[in-house]
Amino acid sequence: MEGRTIKHIGFYSTLIETMGYDPQCALLEVKLICDRKIRQYENVPEYIWYHLREDYHPDVYYRRYVCGRYEETVLPGEEANPPEEESNPSGGETDLSGEVKS
């Protein structure tokens, strides 16, 4: 399983950011919005993937039919990058127009 990348799809959900499935390994990956960590679920039948993907309420389906029913491995999440601040080489303050005040 090392080195394999599962293609994720995104969709509108309040809980799930993206999901992907590898039918050869029966491996489901779900990336949650709250912590941006990917959860891998092993031995997930393909029909669960299709139902999860097509359900009108995927959050409810995920909680009801995936969480706690399949072995879960949590992968490290993406670190949120802080917004880059514009540097001011003169060291003075800038006003709203972007001009440097001394």
Side-chain angles (χ1 to χ4, degrees), residues 41-59:
Y41 298 94
E42 297 179 13
N43 301 315
V44 177
E46 198 165 2
Y47 76 89
I48 294 288
W49 162 245
Y50 286 115
H51 286 234
L52 176 61
R53 208 174 68 173
E54 297 171 3
D55 197 273
Y56 188 70
H57 298 287
D59 299 347

Side-chain angles (χ1 to χ4, degrees), residues 3-21:
R4 291 187 79 134
T5 303
I6 297 175
K7 182 180 176 184
H8 281 225
I9 58 170
F11 56 96
Y12 297 106
S13 167
T14 58
L15 176 67
I16 302 167
E17 185 174 338
T18 64
M19 293 188 306
Y21 184 75

Side-chain angles (χ1 to χ4, degrees), residues 14-31:
T14 58
L15 176 67
I16 302 167
E17 185 174 338
T18 64
M19 293 188 306
Y21 184 75
D22 183 344
Q24 293 177 335
C25 300
L27 186 70
L28 173 68
E29 289 187 347
V30 177
K31 183 177 182 181

Side-chain angles (χ1 to χ4, degrees), residues 58-88:
D59 299 347
V60 173
Y61 191 91
Y62 169 72
R63 287 186 184 124
R64 186 173 289 158
Y65 298 106
V66 177
C67 291
R69 294 181 181 250
Y70 300 96
E71 185 177 338
E72 178 183 281
T73 303
V74 179
L75 304 179
E78 299 173 358
E79 294 297 322
N81 295 330
E84 292 183 17
E85 294 181 18
E86 291 184 25
S87 61
N88 184 355

